[in-house]
Amino acid sequence: MTKNLDELLCQKYPVIFRDRHAPMNQTAMCWGFACGDGWFTLIDVLCASLMESVRDNGSSVPVAVQVKEKFGGLRFYVNGGTETQDALIEFAESMSFRVCENCGATKDAQCRNTGGWLRTLCDACAAHMNDGD
């Protein structure tokens, strides 16, 4: 994810991403958001939903430990969290297989093998990658 989008998420959700710049012996968030810009909105909506669950239920805020792409899907690992928050995370992770990690398109987005790596891409981004660009 680009630096600007990384910083925007950290500014909007400072408690969730409070360990964003902590050392690697404390968190994997030190490497930032290890996914494409296309999932920015998905992560943003997830974090807004997590914060809403905190307000509605008085629960504690889950703290992100790692946010990345793995096997073509979003992985959003946290410390803490309730069953409701875990369900929100699981839902966002499942939705990531329907959103292009590169551009955020939902039309034709699917998990594809791109030279040995699984990535969720729309037809246009997949074609662009196959062109070698």
Side-chain angles (χ1 to χ4, degrees):
M1 184 171 290
T2 62
K3 182 180 178 187
N4 289 343
L5 294 179
D6 178 313
E7 290 174 354
L8 181 57
L9 286 170
C10 292
Q11 288 171 2
K12 287 181 78 173
Y13 309 102
V15 179
I16 293 174
F17 299 114
R18 71 176 176 219
D19 292 340
R20 169 60 186 87
H21 298 288
M24 73 171 85
N25 64 349
Q26 293 178 16
T27 181
M29 280 308 299
C30 62
W31 292 293
F33 297 84
C35 62
D37 289 354
W39 287 344
F40 170 83
T41 300
L42 185 61
I43 295 168
D44 185 30
V45 170
L46 169 59
C47 291
S49 298
L50 291 171
M51 294 307 297
E52 186 175 322
S53 76
V54 168
R55 286 188 295 275
D56 290 349
N57 302 318
S59 57
S60 61
V61 178
V63 177
V65 176
Q66 187 174 31
V67 179
K68 67 178 186 174
E69 175 278 328
K70 183 174 182 179
F71 300 122
L74 175 68
R75 299 297 185 271
F76 194 96
Y77 301 114
V78 297
N79 279 333
T82 64
E83 285 184 30
T84 298
Q85 292 165 340
D86 289 343
L88 291 168
I89 292 168
E90 187 176 321
F91 181 72
E93 289 176 343
S94 69
M95 290 304 298
S96 71
F97 290 100
R98 292 164 180 81
V99 178
C100 178
E101 181 187 356
N102 191 53
C103 73
T106 55
K107 183 177 186 226
D108 303 319
Q110 59 182 304
C111 190
R112 305 162 191 260
N113 185 329
T114 60
W117 295 98
L118 293 175
R119 294 195 62 199
T120 298
L121 300 169
C122 65
D123 289 345
C125 289
H128 184 70
M129 289 189 78
N130 289 335
D131 291 340
D133 294 331

